Amino acid sequence: MESVRDHYKLLNRMLSLAGLWPYQSKRTRLFRVCFLTAIAVSLIIPQMAQINHCDKNLRCIFLAIPATLLMFMILLKVHTCQFNISKIKKLTNHLHEDWEKLESVKEYEIMKTYAAHARLLSLTYCLCGYVGAYLYMLITLLPRILNIMLPLNESRPLIMLYDAYYFVDSEEYYFYIFIHNLVGMSILMVGILAHDCMFITYIEHVCSLFAIAGFHLETVSCNDRNDAANNSRDAYKTYNRKIAISVHVHWRAIWVAEHLDDTFSSSFVIQMMITTTMISITLLQMALQIEEFIVTLKCMVYVMAQLIHTFIYSVQGQKLIDHSTQLREKIYNSFWYEIPVKSQKLLLFVMRRGLEPNFLSAGRIYVFSLTSFTTVLQSAISYFTVLSSFH
């Protein structure tokens, strides 16, 4: 069989680059986290200066807030992992142990399928993240490009990547500012994507454990012909052993799900507040600058990025809920009536636990699911409406 590391190479590399890999030396990890923090601070300072430069002009302040909130979200994601590095190490150790405890080829195939799906989803998410970021940056260069390709009598006004005050003439030093933003955001994207890919991978791993438990429960009535099937006592022991294996795998899945929620729940509260605020204020930016096509296009890309980010979290949260509640259906659809009555009673305990779904939450207030995703959209639009009325 392949090594466990072969299935998580992408995640390993991204976490290592961001200084979030729990098996890195402490010095290396702290250096890389401090490096990311320094870059984020170098971008935050001009943003805060812009807010101060607005001189209490609400419209100016609203235009500057989304980029500042994004920087704080990046710092939150990176430092949440850093402060919870011991918990992340426990989760990673548990992941490796789960692979080592696989007892059959079918279990391995199930785990491998979910690991491959996590890798594909993480790769797609990373590509979308960087494509969206560079598309956003390219849009800001459109006036410059159009000035060269389709010149007018007067130059088109320059558009900054985001509103910031660099204490110099922004037109004269435009490319220096743009390069600073381009390089800074390219590096900080590693921190965002590493955090989110880790979340995706662990959710897929928990779902694979639930799938393995479900597989055992579906096939609990299938006896090996070489077993002493005619001996009711031996058959009873065989069924109980299979149920015990299923319960053990189910318990491991529940432990990882609860530990994952405990690790990120507090951070997710702030992240969801920031995301909702960013979407609302960016929609307000679009409304205030609707006549400027390039600015509107830039805002649309920014909103879409936030919606995709929230949607991925919601889809993975919904997947966890579905997998944790499907066990009772798999038991019901199995040939449970062919096993001894005493063994059937053991299945009732598993079904009872399956009535309580495992989920990932933001401070036990917001549960990540597709239903909650629509709630975020409604809240963001409601806040946008309120802000528009004030304007």
Side-chain angles (χ1 to χ4, degrees):
M1 291 184 179
E2 301 171 72
S3 170
V4 178
R5 293 183 180 180
D6 295 336
H7 301 290
Y8 302 106
K9 283 182 179 178
L10 176 63
L11 179 65
N12 189 339
R13 290 172 183 172
M14 293 196 65
L15 292 177
S16 298
L17 284 173
L20 305 179
W21 183 241
Y23 299 107
Q24 283 178 305
S25 65
K26 188 175 181 180
R27 179 179 297 180
T28 302
R29 196 171 64 246
L30 289 176
F31 172 77
R32 295 187 181 185
V33 170
C34 289
F35 180 65
L36 288 177
T37 303
I39 292 175
V41 170
S42 73
L43 294 172
I44 288 174
I45 290 174
Q47 294 168 359
M48 298 301 293
Q50 173 66 18
I51 293 175
N52 183 63
H53 192 67
C54 287
D55 195 25
K56 299 182 181 180
N57 185 319
L58 288 180
R59 175 170 177 168
C60 177
I61 292 173
F62 278 136
L63 294 177
I65 284 177
T68 308
L69 290 177
L70 178 62
M71 292 299 109
F72 281 114
M73 178 179 280
I74 294 171
L75 290 175
L76 177 64
K77 285 178 180 287
V78 172
H79 287 281
T80 295
C81 295
Q82 187 61 33
F83 290 140
N84 293 288
I85 200 70
S86 60
K87 293 182 179 180
I88 293 173
K89 193 169 185 177
K90 279 185 180 180
L91 286 168
T92 307
N93 289 338
H94 206 280
L95 183 148
H96 283 264
E97 290 173 4
D98 290 335
W99 278 88
E100 293 170 0
K101 290 178 180 179
L102 298 178
E103 297 180 353
S104 67
V105 175
K106 181 62 178 179
E107 288 182 348
Y108 176 79
E109 289 300 323
I110 292 173
M111 192 82 83
K112 183 180 177 181
T113 300
Y114 280 85
H117 186 262
R119 182 169 63 247
L120 178 62
L121 189 56
S122 297
L123 181 60
T124 305
Y125 184 72
C126 291
L127 289 175
C128 289
Y130 272 105
V131 168
Y134 289 130
L135 177 62
Y136 182 85
M137 296 175 189
L138 180 62
I139 291 172
T140 61
L141 286 176
L142 276 179
R144 284 278 187 176
I145 297 172
L146 292 175
N147 284 338
I148 296 172
M149 298 179 64
L150 300 170
L152 299 175
N153 293 330
E154 56 182 20
S155 297
R156 295 174 176 84
L158 295 176
I159 297 177
M160 301 295 292
L161 193 62
Y162 51 78
D163 288 355
Y165 182 62
Y166 276 82
F167 308 97
V168 294
D169 188 340
S170 58
E171 292 193 10
E172 182 180 352
Y173 294 92
Y174 178 80
F175 281 109
Y176 294 102
I177 295 172
F178 183 83
I179 290 172
H180 174 239
N181 294 334
L182 174 64
V183 174
M185 285 305 301
S186 298
I187 295 173
L188 290 175
M189 282 292 292
V190 175
I192 297 176
L193 297 175
H195 174 281
D196 293 349
C197 287
M198 178 172 59
F199 167 79
I200 290 170
T201 301
Y202 282 127
I203 290 294
E204 290 293 328
H205 177 67
V206 176
C207 291
S208 71
L209 293 177
F210 281 120
I212 291 173
F215 162 74
H216 284 298
L217 292 169
E218 277 184 318
T219 59
V220 70
S221 62
C222 300
N223 254 329
D224 190 343
R225 292 183 179 179
N226 295 324
D227 289 342
N230 295 326
N231 188 323
S232 60
R233 186 171 183 179
D234 289 342
Y236 175 67
K237 289 181 179 179
T238 301
Y239 293 128
N240 285 359
R241 181 179 61 82
K242 289 185 176 182
I243 295 173
I245 292 172
S246 305
V247 170
H248 184 62
V249 176
H250 188 205
W251 176 83
R252 279 162 33 205
I254 292 171
W255 185 90
V256 176
E258 291 178 348
H259 200 71
L260 192 61
D261 183 57
D262 179 60
T263 303
F264 295 101
S265 181
S266 300
S267 168
F268 282 151
V269 175
I270 304 174
Q271 287 188 44
M272 293 310 300
M273 290 173 63
I274 291 176
T275 299
T276 306
T277 305
M278 282 195 295
I279 294 173
S280 302
I281 296 179
T282 307
L283 290 174
L284 180 63
Q285 287 182 347
M286 290 175 61
L288 294 176
Q289 301 172 305
I290 193 67
E291 296 178 357
E292 301 179 29
F293 174 74
I294 294 178
V295 175
T296 303
L297 186 61
K298 190 177 71 168
C299 291
M300 287 176 63
V301 172
Y302 194 81
V303 170
M304 285 301 299
Q306 296 303 322
L307 290 178
I308 291 172
H309 170 259
T310 309
F311 183 71
I312 288 293
Y313 273 54
S314 301
V315 167
Q316 291 301 101
Q318 185 67 52
K319 190 171 186 178
L320 175 60
I321 294 171
D322 292 342
H323 275 70
S324 64
T325 55
Q326 283 174 358
L327 287 180
R328 63 180 186 270
E329 296 175 10
K330 291 185 177 182
I331 293 173
Y332 182 77
N333 293 329
S334 68
F335 296 98
W336 53 269
Y337 45 83
E338 294 183 357
I339 67 176
V341 176
K342 290 183 179 179
S343 299
Q344 291 178 22
K345 291 179 180 179
L346 295 177
L347 294 177
L348 293 175
F349 292 101
V350 182
M351 294 184 72
R352 174 65 184 83
R353 181 59 183 84
L355 293 173
E356 303 173 17
N358 287 95
F359 53 84
L360 198 69
S361 67
R364 300 283 175 175
I365 301 171
Y366 175 89
V367 176
F368 288 98
S369 66
L370 293 178
T371 303
S372 300
F373 176 69
T374 59
T375 303
V376 171
L377 293 182
Q378 292 172 354
S379 299
I381 294 172
S382 298
Y383 297 147
F384 159 67
T385 305
V386 172
L387 292 173
S388 299
S389 64
F390 278 114
H391 178 263

